[in-house]
Amino acid sequence: MSAQPNEQNATAIKLNLKLIRRWPTRPPLLQTPKASTRTRRSPSSLHLSFYSELQGLDITPGHERTTPATLDDALGLKQPATEIERCFSCHATASKTGNEFNPSHAMAGVTCESCHGPGATHIAAVNSQHGTGDMANPAFLPPVDAVDFCGACHRTWQDVVGSGLTGVGVFNVRFAPYRLENSKCWQKTQSSLLTCVACHEPHKPLVHDLASYDSRCLQCHALSAHAAKRVANKRRACPVSTKDCVTCHMPKVRPPNLHSDFTDHWIRIVKRGAPYPD
């Protein structure tokens, strides 16, 4: 698949940009203008998104790949305010003040408080040398709650099923907790050895060296059939290989037009030519 948008898509993108640039200067989308006779538009998810692989713009997932007919269409899909709040809650930090949505106070990206909650009491306690104060620590959550905690942004099984995002093919590969919870090994054990943080260190960048995950697999699976019989509670060994487990059992999937490869967290024996499980 080419990494570049085709000619028709490129034309649509150029027209989107042209229309958006013509939109009159105004206050941020979710803030009420101080004095204006213009009708306030409903909040939207933007029609265009930046893709790092392209180092440029292309159509946002969920939007039609067609030339917009109006300025409103060029801006994107109208969304309920609750959905916009959810966007901010995952892609920014501290977008709420006292349970009130206040994007003007938001900090870009995921920071400590995204997972650990407000840190003022923690900082005050540390500075005064009186302990560490109250601070949420998701590391102590039970396995099911731990996966659902990450799924608050990455989509839980309930989110995907409840939103009708099953049966859509490879597009739901993006929702790692949902895919993980469909795995037989998760359904049988719901073990702490299978939670998101069992493989991913949340305080460090994502590790792209696939071989580095072998040690996580071998916490449950034996390295050989002999070891499986000898060591208690070890799952059977893979008969094909002793390394690079995820390259076979968690293959990369590339949804159309998303310009990125996603690791499928539905852990399984992937058979050549088998349909994508959904």
Side-chain angles (χ1 to χ4, degrees):
M1 179 183 294
S2 171
Q4 299 297 326
N6 62 36
E7 185 175 347
Q8 181 181 2
N9 291 339
T11 301
I13 290 169
K14 289 178 181 177
L15 183 56
N16 270 270
L17 289 172
K18 184 177 180 181
L19 289 170
I20 290 172
R21 285 169 183 152
R22 285 169 47 195
W23 193 257
T25 302
R26 60 179 182 172
L29 195 59
L30 295 175
Q31 295 182 10
T32 303
K34 293 181 179 179
S36 175
T37 58
R38 186 182 304 281
T39 301
R40 185 182 177 212
R41 188 185 189 276
S42 299
S44 301
S45 57
L46 293 179
H47 197 71
L48 298 175
S49 291
F50 179 84
Y51 293 87
S52 57
E53 182 180 273
L54 298 179
Q55 286 298 296
L57 300 172
D58 199 1
I59 307 300
T60 300
H63 290 65
E64 294 291 335
R65 303 188 71 82
T66 56
T67 301
T70 67
L71 287 171
D72 271 9
D73 292 342
L75 280 172
L77 294 176
K78 294 180 180 179
Q79 302 285 354
T82 52
E83 188 66 20
I84 297 298
E85 289 183 25
R86 182 170 180 175
C87 295
F88 272 83
S89 68
C90 289
H91 294 278
T93 304
S95 59
K96 284 191 173 183
T97 303
N99 290 325
E100 291 293 327
F101 183 51
N102 189 353
S104 64
H105 287 179
M107 296 175 284
V110 177
T111 69
C112 305
E113 292 187 346
S114 295
C115 295
H116 295 286
T121 57
H122 169 68
I123 297 299
V126 171
N127 287 340
S128 63
Q129 298 182 346
H130 288 92
T132 59
D134 293 329
M135 199 72 178
N137 191 345
F140 297 108
L141 290 172
V144 173
D145 292 336
V147 173
D148 283 348
F149 183 86
C150 297
C153 286
H154 295 279
R155 302 289 184 99
T156 65
W157 190 92
Q158 292 88 346
D159 286 333
V160 174
V161 173
S163 300
L165 292 172
T166 59
V168 298
V170 296
F171 285 100
N172 64 29
V173 73
R174 298 177 294 156
F175 311 135
Y178 160 73
R179 302 294 293 174
L180 173 66
E181 291 179 323
N182 279 312
S183 306
K184 284 185 178 179
C185 47
W186 170 262
Q187 293 175 354
K188 287 181 178 180
T189 66
Q190 295 186 350
S191 167
S192 60
L193 297 176
L194 278 171
T195 64
C196 309
V197 295
C199 294
H200 301 295
E201 166 54 69
H203 303 105
K204 296 180 180 179
L206 178 67
V207 176
H208 293 280
D209 176 18
L210 299 183
S212 69
Y213 294 100
D214 288 350
S215 60
R216 313 300 201 282
C217 301
L218 294 175
Q219 287 185 302
C220 293
H221 289 271
L223 190 59
S224 66
H226 175 71
K229 294 179 181 179
R230 184 166 47 85
V231 181
N233 299 322
K234 281 287 186 179
R235 301 289 177 179
R236 65 178 182 174
C238 176
V240 176
S241 179
T242 58
K243 62 180 182 178
D244 299 332
C245 310
V246 299
T247 59
C248 287
H249 299 288
M250 299 176 67
K252 294 283 188 181
V253 177
R254 190 177 184 88
N257 302 316
L258 293 190
H259 310 296
S260 186
D261 296 321
F262 293 83
T263 298
D264 188 357
H265 284 68
W266 190 324
I267 306 167
R268 63 194 188 278
I269 298 174
V270 180
K271 298 180 180 179
R272 188 182 300 276
Y276 174 84
D278 190 359

